[in-house]
Amino acid sequence: MKELLRTNDPTLIAFAQALLGGEDIDCFEFDVHTSVLEGSIGILPRRLMVRTKDHFRASAVLRDNEIPLGE
């Protein structure tokens, strides 16, 4: 798996997941439980991961929708 997006914004993660799902690209959110444990004050970012083979296409989908990838 390869990191696609890292953010503290849960709405951005949800939007990205919806976009990727619409393109039949599987993704998985990392660090959800760690973020909850720290009290949900937004210090620890969550990561959105995709398969290595889907990374290029997933990056293009997010860029087309003006989601900053922070690469």
Side-chain angles (χ1 to χ4, degrees), residues 12-25 27 48 61-62:
L12 188 59
I13 291 277
F15 182 49
Q17 288 175 319
L19 291 171
L20 295 172
E23 297 292 329
D24 291 325
I25 299 173
C27 60
L48 194 60
V61 168
L62 296 190

Side-chain angles (χ1 to χ4, degrees), residues 23-40:
E23 297 292 329
D24 291 325
I25 299 173
D26 292 327
C27 60
F28 186 78
E29 189 177 350
F30 276 19
D31 306 321
V32 175
H33 301 294
T34 305
S35 180
V36 169
L37 286 175
E38 54 91 9
S40 297

Side-chain angles (χ1 to χ4, degrees), residues 41-71:
I41 58 176
I43 293 173
L44 300 173
R46 295 179 184 185
R47 295 177 290 162
L48 194 60
M49 309 294 282
V50 294
R51 289 187 183 115
T52 303
K53 68 177 186 157
D54 293 330
H55 189 267
F56 180 78
R57 195 164 57 106
S59 296
V61 168
L62 296 190
R63 272 194 224 101
D64 288 348
N65 286 279
E66 300 178 3
I67 295 177
L69 298 177
E71 296 175 274

